[in-house]
Amino acid sequence: MPAISDQDRLKLAAAQAAAVLVENGMIVGLGSGSTASLAVTEIGKRVAGGLRITGIPTSEKTAAQARSLGIPLSTLAEHDHIDLTIDGADEVEIGTLHLVKGLGGALLREKIVATNTERLVIVADETKLVNRLGIDNRPVPLEVVPFGWQATAKHLRALGATFVLRPGADGKPFVTDGGHYTLDCVFGPIESPERLQEKLDGMVGVVEHGLFLGLTSEVLMATETGVTTMK
Ligand code: A5P
């Protein structure tokens, strides 16, 4: 078996700490990305041991993983109130707990699930902690409509962003579960995420963006000294 990296060890610690928060009878949002996937595995072990929950997956990949573990799944059509969602993040802003999400390619469904969740628990390792979103030119992913995406990109350029149209494994544009393209946009350090959110929310062609503001209930942050809860 390949040796587990330090970062993977931290991801696992956060995932395990989150999985124990799941209780019998809960409707549970199942996140996407490598850290959330470890949490799904842990939840799967508990379901195999008799825990009864219903999962709402945030991506086709997570749905497939959950099915393979025997986690019963449903949809927002059946359950529009989710008790607890466990998901990862690409950036966690210290102080506000604002997030950037979407490098894993599932931000639209993740945001729909997060918005309908009572308690959003983010699992992350310390590499995700930032003083300001967008620092070090980290990108904010955007799901955009393929039709006329170049025109949408022109408006993003006017906001001062540089961007990359995310490629898929086949070299063609990556297509999300919702059939959209992803633009990974660099805005630089984001002084006012709220102002940027307002601009992106109002931009035709942008389906959703990776700024998750005011949605997080708590972050389970794994560091070398243990997992701390940030609220
Ligand atoms: C998926 O679209 C993302 O929002 C992930 O939650 C995020 O990219 C974190 O992924 P990792 O846990 O793999 O870093």
Side-chain angles (χ1 to χ4, degrees), residues 21-136:
L21 301 176
V22 179
E23 292 171 13
N24 254 330
M26 277 185 167
I27 309 297
V28 182
L30 304 172
S32 298
S34 58
T35 319
S37 161
L38 293 170
V40 173
T41 301
E42 295 301 314
I43 293 168
K45 287 183 198 163
R46 294 195 56 204
V47 167
L51 179 76
R52 286 173 295 100
I53 61 149
T54 301
I56 311 284
T58 54
S59 63
E60 296 300 329
K61 193 170 173 188
T62 298
Q65 183 196 3
R67 267 186 223 107
S68 75
L69 294 167
I71 301 174
L73 297 181
S74 188
T75 64
L76 281 162
E78 301 295 326
H79 301 281
D80 59 5
H81 177 91
I82 300 171
D83 298 302
L84 169 74
T85 290
I86 300 172
D87 205 349
D90 303 306
E91 291 184 54
V92 176
E93 189 175 62
I94 296 167
T96 62
L97 302 190
H98 289 339
L99 312 172
V100 169
K101 285 179 55 54
L103 285 187
L107 76 91
L108 174 60
R109 292 189 185 188
E110 289 173 335
K111 196 177 271 189
I112 293 171
V113 168
T115 304
N116 290 286
T117 291
E118 194 174 316
R119 184 178 178 193
L120 175 64
V121 174
I122 297 299
V123 282
D125 64 87
E126 57 196 346
T127 62
K128 308 293 180 62
L129 269 182
V130 293
N131 286 316
R132 184 160 283 187
L133 299 180
I135 204 129
D136 299 332

